[in-house]
Amino acid sequence: MKLCRFGSPGAERPGIVDKDGAIRDLSSIVTDIGPDQLSRARLAALAAIDPVTLPLAPARARLGPPVSGTRQFIAVGLNFSDHAAESGMPIPDEPILFTKGVSCIQGPNDDVLLPRGSTKSDWEVELGVIIGTTASYVAEADALTHVAGYCVVNDLSEREYQLERGGTWDKGKGCPTFGPIGPWLVTGDEVGDPQTLGMWLDVNGKRVQTGTSATMIFGVATLVSYISRFMTLLPGDIITTGTPPGVGLGQKPEPWYLKTGDVIDLGIEKLGVQRQRVIG
């Protein structure tokens, strides 16, 4: 099942994608796709609905983030060995965790705004994990039972802020518009094994990232279990799990970064695609 939210920012309506790829309006059934709708029981109730009985969403409706009410946006750094190598950093012994401000979350096709004074804004296609039920000290064997579904995330990053200005990575990760999410929340039963998904990203039509979740150092189940030892994961929380090689920081013969007018296209197998225009 693919769930989404459509409409103007702050006024999105809940949607479900039918077998033909059309968005159907779920607002007669639920008020939103948020923390209260992400348990296995609630998702099963939505999956039992025949989408063709619901009205179509307006043509070319804007897509918002596929889940509302996210309270924690947690990211994992250097979780692909080849990305760690291109960044000139050692492969971590344990997951590297940081946070992205929830204020950076936006729809999958909304414009990306370069921060004031930015010189090194970068792209990162990532597999997002949306938590469905509260997770605290969960065993790795049980971790995926706490996952509602998966989504595409562009973990945009300002590298100067992140790496050259001291302190934690967070300051380069949560700039406004630096968290495009969606287009869909795809439930785990439709995705299957989350460690077999192809990933890609283009800048201005040039393929710069190609990878697969199979090469993650720490898989989804490991990450959910590990993070739950340090914080309680709540329904609607999002974990973004790292990126394959090909980011701007790792370009050869020298790095290059986003500029006004660039267009970013990205996608993950089974999870859909995003497109953002970069504005100044």
Side-chain angles (χ1 to χ4, degrees):
M1 179 172 59
K2 294 182 176 72
L3 299 172
C4 64
R5 298 169 67 249
F6 64 91
S8 58
E12 292 94 347
R13 298 164 71 92
I16 187 170
V17 181
D18 69 20
K19 63 182 177 59
D20 297 318
I23 298 172
R24 300 282 178 160
D25 190 338
L26 266 175
S27 57
S28 63
I29 309 296
V30 294
T31 58
D32 204 352
I33 305 298
D36 293 341
Q37 303 302 328
L38 299 179
S39 69
R40 291 205 161 191
R42 299 294 298 206
L43 291 174
L46 293 177
I49 298 166
D50 184 354
V52 301
T53 64
L54 301 172
L56 287 164
R60 296 183 294 278
R62 169 193 172 267
L63 289 171
V67 63
S68 67
T70 297
R71 288 165 282 188
Q72 300 179 110
F73 192 3
I74 303 148
V76 184
L78 300 178
N79 197 30
F80 287 69
S81 57
D82 36 11
H83 172 55
E86 75 172 353
S87 301
M89 299 180 184
I91 294 174
D93 295 323
E94 295 191 35
I96 294 172
L97 305 181
F98 57 92
T99 60
K100 290 177 72 77
V102 294
S103 59
C104 80
I105 293 173
Q106 65 169 16
N109 304 317
D110 293 342
D111 291 342
V112 165
L113 176 66
L114 294 178
R116 293 180 185 177
S118 169
T119 59
K120 297 182 180 180
S121 287
D122 205 347
W123 57 85
E124 297 186 48
V125 59
E126 302 204 1
L127 170 63
V129 179
I130 300 175
I131 298 297
T133 55
T134 300
S136 179
Y137 293 101
V138 300
E140 188 169 328
D142 299 325
L144 295 187
T145 67
H146 294 272
V147 173
Y150 304 91
C151 61
V152 181
V153 175
N154 190 354
D155 175 23
L156 289 145
S157 311
E158 215 300 342
R159 301 300 189 189
E160 182 195 9
Y161 299 178
Q162 176 192 356
L163 301 173
E164 300 176 29
R165 303 183 76 170
T168 67
W169 287 6
D170 303 47
K171 66 179 68 173
K173 293 287 189 171
C175 304
T177 76
F178 270 29
I181 295 172
W184 326 121
L185 181 165
V186 186
T187 51
D189 60 308
E190 186 164 328
V191 172
D193 184 354
Q195 305 306 150
T196 61
L197 304 176
M199 309 166 68
W200 59 272
L201 185 144
D202 296 347
V203 178
N204 299 329
K206 176 183 178 181
R207 181 62 47 89
V208 289
Q209 286 192 275
T210 303
T212 169
S213 60
T215 61
M216 288 167 57
I217 298 167
F218 305 104
V220 172
T222 300
L223 291 173
V224 172
S225 174
Y226 181 86
I227 294 167
S228 78
R229 302 177 206 169
F230 302 99
M231 64 186 76
T232 299
L233 293 169
L234 304 170
D237 286 355
I238 299 170
I239 303 169
T240 188
T241 58
T243 197
V247 300
L249 177 67
Q251 293 296 310
K252 302 292 188 286
E254 60 183 25
W256 55 274
Y257 299 100
L258 295 169
K259 62 184 185 305
T260 299
D262 286 346
V263 175
I264 312 166
D265 293 284
L266 61 149
I268 297 178
E269 182 183 359
K270 300 183 181 181
L271 303 184
V273 299
Q274 300 183 354
R275 167 172 276 200
Q276 296 109 32
R277 183 171 59 95
V278 179
I279 62 175

